Amino acid sequence: MTAYTSNEQKDTRSGFGAALLQLGRINPDVVALCADLKGSLKMDAFAKEFPDRFFQAGIAEANMIGVAAGLAIGGKIPFTGTFANFSTARVYDQIRQSVAYSNTNVKICASHAGITLGEDGATHQSMEDIGLMKMLPNLTVINPCDYNQTYKATLAIADFKGPVYLRFGRPKVPNFMPIDQPFEIGKAILLSPGSDVSIIATGHMVWLALEACSILNEQGISAEVINIHTIKPLDTEAVLQSVKKTGCVVTAEEHLMNGGLGDSIAQLLSLQLPAPLEMVAVDDKFGESATPEELMVKYGLDVPHIVAAVQKAISRKR
Amino acid sequence: MTTTQMQALASQVRRDIVRMVHAVQSGHPGGSLGCTEFMTALYTSVMNHDPKNFTMDGRGQDMFFLSNGHLSALWYSILARTGYFPVSELTTFRKLNTRLQGHPTPAEHLPGVRVASGSLGQGLSVAIGAALSKRLRNDPNLVYTLHGDGELQEGQIWEAAMFAAGRKVDNIIATIDYNGKQIDGPVDEVMPLGNLRAKWEAFDWIVLEMDGHNFNDILSTLAKAKSLTGNGKPIVILMHTHMGQGVDFMTDKHQWHGSPPNDKELESALSQLKETEGDY
């Protein structure tokens, strides 16, 4: 049974904003750039307290990424902020050449990732960003699960030398990770030990995986829940160790199947430890307008889908 | 360095360029030959830099960004001939395991190169970021860039132009290789730039113009540009050049943007360029 509980709902983007302000206070090299979304990205407090270290780039994301690369070359630690779509797809070649290939110490921080952006619809919902970013050599890709983990991840990437893609979201979701839980880039966190199936989840889906774990427990199924916050580099050791024990896997993420966490796990397992795998993710579709809750149900990103995927994965073991 | 000495070095650099692209039968001689005087003057007599102590963050030195990365043969020759790395390394241009990649990159740790370029239109933004880092640490040194005129068709250039003026980045001097040629033909046919001076002025940049093949004009214009820094506005120089300058059959011919000379053409080119400092 899971020991994790949540008494509050908080948005992950606010965890980013709070940590960025903290970084401003403790690290004079940290600077921030934003493409006309500083309210949405919760960068207001940093901008107000450090006006000389905050650069409003306007609605010009390509230039923002380039300027950030230049600031990094000059020894600064730039954090860029805009929505996930505009942080990745819109500026892919700028990230590829000026950040990834040049290995500049830029922190690309992306809010409103996934389908839970909601009513704005598919133009603004990014469900391919993890895939785009993990394809690029040198890039580290991190997708924290709640406010506290986003806070810790934001602090951690400032101390890490190299380009990072940090992905978080818009809605208020359960805040359940203890704030004193250590955050180590590339290190998975075992949330709940189990023996019948490994549920490997990232981002907003981690809490839903824990809820599914409780339901499964009542059905007599012992599920192990692993939080993968770092998609790349993947903690292969943690995954393999778990699957050796449980013999089957369900991945859960607010992303397309193509290019997401499930895709990384599938590659790992088929190369090293073939095992039944089910993916809770969006299958090659764009999203649409609705509330985040409605969309999570319609696109199969909810607790019943995780439970069903677990049952299927276990049945394939036999 | 005197302008006579610069002339001599420029001739050697041009020999390097045509020999390098001939050796691997690939590369971009046209723009490289057209910007040879500018780069020679910049690296020998304008920039405050220390080739033996290259640092990525460029602290306490001027910095240069080559945005039109296909001029790599020119840049590598200049870097080698001013002491950043051994001249003999020019033999490795575009060959397996070289630091002298087809387009410049810091990935191979070549002294002098701070960011990858090749995909056009990105260097101005990067240079602006570097200029901001200097401003943040009160480093009075400057940031220089070079761009192709065809490159100005990229939208990111104008995003960067707007940003630099809007954020008063006044420690940057951008230079445009205004040769009027790009791969597919004359710039005015491929995609006209219109009134380029008026465009930059409308973006609130200080605009200077110079003859890119006249050392006295290059030196005096860069001196003027330097004197205009620190006044709240970024500076751009429209540098009038000829693609393929120095080699008669390449001059003003867009076909030489990215084509190497054959053996006979190399011989003809070298006969027009005096060996002044010893071939690599």
Side-chain angles (χ1 to χ4, degrees), chain A:
Chain A
M1 260 303 278
T2 169
Y4 290 86
T5 55
S6 168
N7 300 316
E8 57 176 353
Q9 300 265 321
K10 287 175 104 172
D11 49 348
T12 50
R13 57 185 165 143
S14 287
F16 164 71
L20 185 65
L21 177 63
Q22 174 65 7
L23 282 171
R25 290 172 179 164
I26 61 178
N27 190 337
D29 283 330
V30 168
V31 298
L33 303 94
C34 186
D36 196 30
L37 285 169
K38 79 176 145 86
S40 296
L41 266 286
K42 305 295 179 188
M43 298 170 94
D44 281 318
F46 181 95
K48 197 171 167 205
E49 193 163 320
F50 307 103
D52 295 341
R53 288 155 60 191
F54 176 79
F55 301 100
Q56 175 58 266
I59 310 165
E61 295 83 3
N63 179 58
M64 176 174 74
I65 295 295
V67 171
L71 280 158
I73 289 165
K76 297 294 166 187
I77 307 171
F79 284 66
T80 66
T82 183
F83 290 170
N85 179 32
F86 314 139
S87 291
T88 58
R90 179 155 193 112
V91 292
Y92 200 60
D93 189 42
Q94 284 74 22
I95 294 176
R96 183 178 183 274
Q97 177 169 286
S98 296
V99 178
Y101 184 37
S102 296
N103 210 11
T104 47
N105 193 23
V106 177
K107 315 303 174 185
I108 301 159
C109 302
S111 182
H112 293 54
I115 205 160
T116 51
L117 171 140
E119 293 82 348
D120 278 348
T123 55
H124 286 54
Q125 291 159 346
S126 181
M127 294 196 285
E128 65 282 355
D129 53 315
I130 289 175
L132 289 171
M133 293 296 101
K134 83 175 188 188
M135 283 279 286
L136 293 173
N138 291 341
L139 259 189
T140 292
V141 178
I142 299 176
N143 183 35
C145 63
D146 70 354
Y147 175 101
N148 283 346
Q149 194 171 74
T150 309
Y151 183 91
K152 299 291 287 272
T154 305
L155 296 183
I157 64 174
D159 290 334
F160 173 84
K161 198 152 170 46
V164 173
Y165 177 62
L166 179 68
R167 174 195 214 240
F168 42 90
R170 171 175 180 248
K172 289 197 162 102
V173 294
N175 187 31
F176 59 96
M177 293 298 287
I179 193 66
D180 57 357
Q181 167 94 42
F183 183 92
E184 199 182 326
I185 293 170
K187 192 88 187 142
I189 300 173
L190 176 62
L191 295 181
S192 180
S195 53
D196 296 331
V197 61
S198 304
I199 305 178
I200 301 176
T202 190
H204 291 150
M205 297 299 288
V206 175
W207 175 253
L208 303 184
L210 287 171
E211 288 191 330
C213 177
S214 295
I215 292 169
L216 289 161
N217 196 52
E218 287 163 15
Q219 298 174 2
I221 294 171
S222 165
E224 176 148 301
V225 180
I226 294 175
N227 168 206
I228 294 276
H229 49 70
T230 306
I231 312 277
K232 186 185 149 192
L234 187 65
D235 188 346
T236 55
E237 202 180 318
V239 173
L240 293 172
Q241 203 182 346
S242 176
V243 178
K244 264 181 205 148
K245 183 173 64 175
T246 63
C248 70
V249 188
V250 168
T251 59
E253 61 192 311
E254 197 185 333
H255 191 273
L256 293 180
M257 269 181 208
N258 280 334
L261 170 66
D263 165 299
S264 292
I265 301 284
Q267 186 185 69
L268 171 69
L269 294 181
S270 51
L271 289 171
Q272 297 199 33
L273 184 66
L277 166 67
E278 295 294 326
M279 296 186 195
V280 176
V282 177
D283 189 10
D284 204 25
K285 275 198 229 26
F286 285 105
E288 65 184 87
S289 292
T291 67
E293 298 75 21
E294 288 168 335
L295 291 168
M296 293 292 268
V297 172
K298 176 166 178 180
Y299 286 79
L301 305 174
D302 58 359
V303 173
H305 278 89
I306 298 174
V307 170
V310 164
Q311 288 159 344
K312 192 170 174 197
I314 290 175
S315 75
R316 287 174 57 201
K317 276 204 285 186
R318 292 165 191 148

Side-chain angles (χ1 to χ4, degrees), chain B residues 20 76 80 84-94 97-100 108-111 280:
Chain B
M20 286 163 75
Y76 296 150
Y84 278 84
F85 56 84
V87 169
S88 60
E89 198 169 342
L90 296 177
T91 57
T92 70
F93 177 62
R94 288 185 166 228
N97 299 323
T98 184
R99 298 196 292 178
L100 279 58
E108 309 299 333
H109 308 290
L110 185 69
Y280 64 81

Side-chain angles (χ1 to χ4, degrees), chain B residues 17-256:
Chain B
I17 292 165
V18 292
R19 293 181 67 237
M20 286 163 75
V21 300
H22 169 265
V24 288
Q25 283 298 295
S26 71
H28 300 78
S32 290
L33 293 167
C35 293
T36 299
E37 282 88 357
F38 170 72
M39 292 290 277
T40 302
L42 190 70
Y43 270 80
T44 63
S45 309
V46 177
M47 282 206 299
N48 167 38
H49 66 127
D50 183 355
K52 296 289 176 219
N53 292 294
F54 171 75
T55 57
M56 183 53 80
D57 67 14
R59 215 174 283 208
Q61 299 189 34
D62 288 339
M63 295 164 92
F64 172 76
F65 291 92
L66 183 75
S67 190
N68 45 347
H70 55 278
L71 271 56
S72 55
L74 164 62
W75 197 17
Y76 296 150
S77 169
I78 290 283
L79 287 172
R81 300 269 173 198
T82 55
Y84 278 84
F85 56 84
V87 169
S88 60
E89 198 169 342
L90 296 177
T91 57
T92 70
F93 177 62
R94 288 185 166 228
K95 291 179 182 163
L96 190 64
N97 299 323
T98 184
R99 298 196 292 178
L100 279 58
Q101 291 290 303
H103 291 82
T105 175
E108 309 299 333
H109 308 290
L110 185 69
V113 180
R114 294 188 169 90
V115 76
S117 57
S119 177
L120 293 169
Q122 299 188 30
L124 188 56
S125 303
V126 176
I128 288 166
L132 288 175
S133 73
K134 290 202 175 298
R135 183 158 95 186
L136 284 167
R137 60 167 58 97
N138 299 314
D139 179 344
N141 290 280
L142 301 174
V143 176
Y144 293 87
T145 65
L146 180 61
H147 310 266
D149 50 3
E151 185 185 3
L152 305 184
Q153 291 158 356
E154 291 281 6
Q156 188 182 347
I157 289 284
W158 303 100
E159 292 184 8
M162 207 182 313
F163 180 98
R167 301 276 95 88
K168 301 193 188 316
V169 182
D170 58 5
N171 53 346
I172 186 166
I173 299 172
T175 296
I176 311 298
D177 176 20
Y178 201 6
N179 63 15
K181 301 280 186 295
Q182 58 189 111
I183 302 181
D184 275 358
V187 173
D188 276 345
E189 287 176 17
V190 177
M191 182 49 65
L193 294 173
N195 188 335
L196 195 54
R197 171 180 268 276
K199 279 192 167 73
W200 284 101
E201 284 174 348
F203 277 80
D204 218 15
W205 284 55
I206 296 169
V207 184
L208 304 175
E209 299 195 44
M210 69 186 179
D211 175 351
H213 302 308
N214 180 322
F215 277 111
N216 288 322
D217 197 25
I218 292 169
L219 292 170
S220 65
T221 306
L222 284 170
K224 186 176 179 195
K226 251 177 165 169
S227 75
L228 290 168
T229 58
N231 287 308
K233 285 191 178 196
I235 297 157
V236 63
I237 302 170
L238 305 182
M239 177 171 74
H240 297 274
T241 63
H242 297 280
M243 180 178 278
Q245 173 81 5
V247 176
D248 56 8
F249 61 88
M250 291 186 181
T251 305
D252 288 330
K253 297 218 165 53
H254 69 84
Q255 292 82 354
W256 289 100

